[in-house]
Amino acid sequence: MDTALELFSNEGFESTPTSKISNEAGVSEGLIFRHFTNKNGLLQAVMLDVEDRINNLFQPIIQCLDPQMAIKLAISLPFSIKKAEYVFWRLKYKLKWESAYDNPDNLQPLIKKLSWAFYQLGQNEPKLEAQFMVQTIEVISTEILKGNLKQKTKYKNFLLDKYEF
Amino acid sequence: MDTALELFSNEGFESTPTSKISNEAGVSEGLIFRHFTNKNGLLQAVMLDVEDRINNLFQPIIQCLDPQMAIKLAISLPFSIKKAEYVFWRLKYKLKWESAYDNPDNLQPLIKKLSWAFYQLGQNEPKLEAQFMVQTIEVISTEILKGNLKQKTKYKNFLLDKYEF
Amino acid sequence: MDTALELFSNEGFESTPTSKISNEAGVSEGLIFRHFTNKNGLLQAVMLDVEDRINNLFQPIIQCLDPQMAIKLAISLPFSIKKAEYVFWRLKYKLKWESAYDNPDNLQPLIKKLSWAFYQLGQNEPKLEAQFMVQTIEVISTEILKGNLKQKTKYKNFLLDKYEF
Amino acid sequence: MDTALELFSNEGFESTPTSKISNEAGVSEGLIFRHFTNKNGLLQAVMLDVEDRINNLFQPIIQCLDPQMAIKLAISLPFSIKKAEYVFWRLKYKLKWESAYDNPDNLQPLIKKLSWAFYQLGQNEPKLEAQFMVQTIEVISTEILKGNLKQKTKYKNFLLDKYEF
DNA sequence: TATGAATGAGTATTCATTCAT
DNA sequence: GATGAATGAATACTCATTCAT
């Protein structure tokens, strides 16, 4: 699964032959099908893992009791992605257009939490604010993963300013 | 090229056999290779067209002389995508992770224009504001294309409010 | 490999589709590529075998201790090719112009031996004599394989006479 | 036809696409089929030319009235092949195994002449001697064309000596 | 006479998947 | 539980040939 994650993430799902996965993982090709039935089954298993790990990164925000802090954490999230985590963020975003594997519901808890936070802070449209912020997190993550974003701290401060914290 | 655009956009580049393209287009499979050398060559030709059509949609913003109006047009852009245009927006976004076909430079003219607009309006960080707005346009377009965004007008107004125009 | 040898030898390498080989061999076409990577890989494997078998036919000459006898054996060689061996002699000669598969060095041991034999018999130019004899062997083999040579025994005696044995 | 000769000779008949011929010749691909019906038709036309040119090279031998001189000319023949002629000699030899294009009868006039020469010189088996000499010419030509023969003059003298002229 | 756009059968090769061991 | 040999359908691509112009 680790090898699959890496290869799917770097070279794409369709472009990764099962033989390559088994080779790099040092197991027989047949084993993949014994465990996951399908190449799709393997992807599914990998994705469950990925969603899980990403959800974990949301936990500090969701469990934060101070609304202002929660928002600050949310904005900071994409800027704190570690190199080691790139691989599963990238896979997640690559599969965004593969409806079978993209599950927008995974973001609901985060949206809920941010809704609450914006509400606490007296915003007019807390739900829309939350939705917008989550989307913002996604674009910035994408830009960072693709290496397009220079001056990360400057940009981070710019965003924090935007929310007047 | 029309058939290819449609299929690449709906089913993905790797998942679309050249035979399917030629069948649906009502031409021989060989013709694809005579004209485009490669399946990749076909994609390239299709993408040039796509970029062109998308650039055209930016023109009203870029040529707008009133900064406030330019920003308003930019925000409105994703909400005014017509069903008929979905197919090439979707392809563009699907290929975002295929570095060979993703050309972030295409957005430069738009970013430049919005920088100018924010500068005219006396914003502190016009460049960062412009960058942020373009990213915002991209997420919202994505959400709309994926059919995730309900209450489009409400959301649009929310954004327009954000920029106090 | 047997089927490939036969088909390459009879119909030529380029003119033999891998599908025909697999069909006649009663295996799947994919198996060829699993084992030999390439159609070229198959040819290479076949040729290694062919060279080996031909080298074996040289052994009696190379191991012969009597110089006169060695030469006699060499002259007799093309006349003693069995029908069953035609297939690999023919392939070898067909590939003579395909530099990647033609290895003239394979004849060196035979040339060395004949050099020695002619030297023992006091010839002026043993090396050139040896080279000439090996070439003679090649033409005559070719003529025989192509069925152009009638009166084989008469011709054989004529050659033996030439070398006064 | 010149381009075809060159390509067939260098890269082989099967390995040369008609498109490559027409490209290098600077004509349309269709023209080949208008003139020669077939790719095979083109080869046939080319080969007629080749046989013709090679026959011309035999003329000095065939018209020679002095038997000793005729034989000397025959031996010298392969050593006097000019670089510019390589291309059609090579094609001729490459097609040796393509029965449809190999015509051993072309050598008959030469064999006849050499038979006559050896007969004049009082040899026991003039016909066999002639046949052997023609074969010798063929091998040596082959070796020269393939660039395997160093010390050409030494080898030529060795052969001339063999016939004691 | 010559072109070149179009064809379609054919070709090597890939790859997910099966299954006996 | 794991292997790896074998499969066969699918795939991108080639190429001789046709034909309207």
Side-chain angles (χ1 to χ4, degrees), chain A residues 11 14-15 89-90 93-94 96-98 102 104 125 128-133 135-136 138-143 145-146 148-151 154-155 158-159 162-163, chain B residues 11 14-15 89-90 93-94 96-98 102 104 125 128-133 135-136 138-143 145-146 148-151 154-155 158-159 162-163:
Chain A
E11 329 210 330
E14 311 271 7
S15 311
W89 282 101
R90 207 181 313 124
Y93 287 136
K94 273 197 178 176
K96 197 159 195 160
W97 291 97
E98 231 77 8
D102 177 42
E125 295 279 16
L128 293 180
E129 285 285 359
Q131 195 179 340
F132 182 67
M133 173 154 289
Q135 285 166 5
T136 301
E138 291 216 321
V139 229
I140 296 171
S141 304
T142 306
E143 293 297 303
L145 289 171
K146 290 182 63 187
N148 289 342
L149 200 62
K150 333 283 178 200
Q151 301 184 295
K154 197 174 164 196
Y155 198 74
F158 162 76
L159 288 174
K162 251 192 160 10
Y163 289 89
Chain B
E11 327 209 332
E14 312 269 8
S15 311
W89 282 102
R90 208 181 314 124
Y93 287 136
K94 272 198 178 176
K96 198 160 194 156
W97 292 97
E98 230 77 9
D102 177 43
E125 295 281 15
L128 293 180
E129 285 287 358
Q131 195 179 342
F132 181 67
M133 172 154 288
Q135 284 165 6
T136 300
E138 291 217 321
V139 228
I140 296 171
S141 303
T142 306
E143 293 299 302
L145 289 172
K146 291 182 63 189
N148 289 341
L149 200 62
K150 332 284 178 200
Q151 301 184 294
K154 199 176 164 194
Y155 199 74
F158 162 76
L159 287 174
K162 251 192 160 9
Y163 288 89

Side-chain angles (χ1 to χ4, degrees), chain A residues 106-122:
Chain A
N106 279 327
L107 294 170
Q108 279 313 317
L110 185 60
I111 293 177
K112 276 250 161 81
K113 179 68 184 195
L114 291 173
S115 273
W116 166 85
F118 282 117
Y119 178 77
Q120 294 296 320
L121 295 171

Side-chain angles (χ1 to χ4, degrees), chain C residues 79 149-157, chain D residues 128 131:
Chain C
F79 298 96
L149 201 62
K150 332 283 179 200
Q151 301 183 293
K152 296 210 286 187
T153 39
K154 199 175 164 194
Y155 199 72
K156 181 178 165 190
N157 290 329
Chain D
L128 293 180
Q131 195 180 342

Side-chain angles (χ1 to χ4, degrees), chain C residues 56-74:
Chain C
N56 283 344
L57 298 176
F58 294 161
Q59 284 316 307
I61 304 170
I62 287 167
Q63 280 156 17
C64 177
L65 296 174
D66 173 17
Q68 206 154 337
M69 190 54 169
I71 288 165
K72 201 177 167 179
L73 282 175

Side-chain angles (χ1 to χ4, degrees), chain D residues 23-41:
Chain D
N23 271 342
E24 295 203 8
V27 296
S28 72
E29 202 176 350
L31 192 57
I32 292 175
F33 296 89
R34 167 156 286 274
H35 280 312
F36 306 103
T37 341
N38 264 346
K39 194 187 172 189
N40 277 298

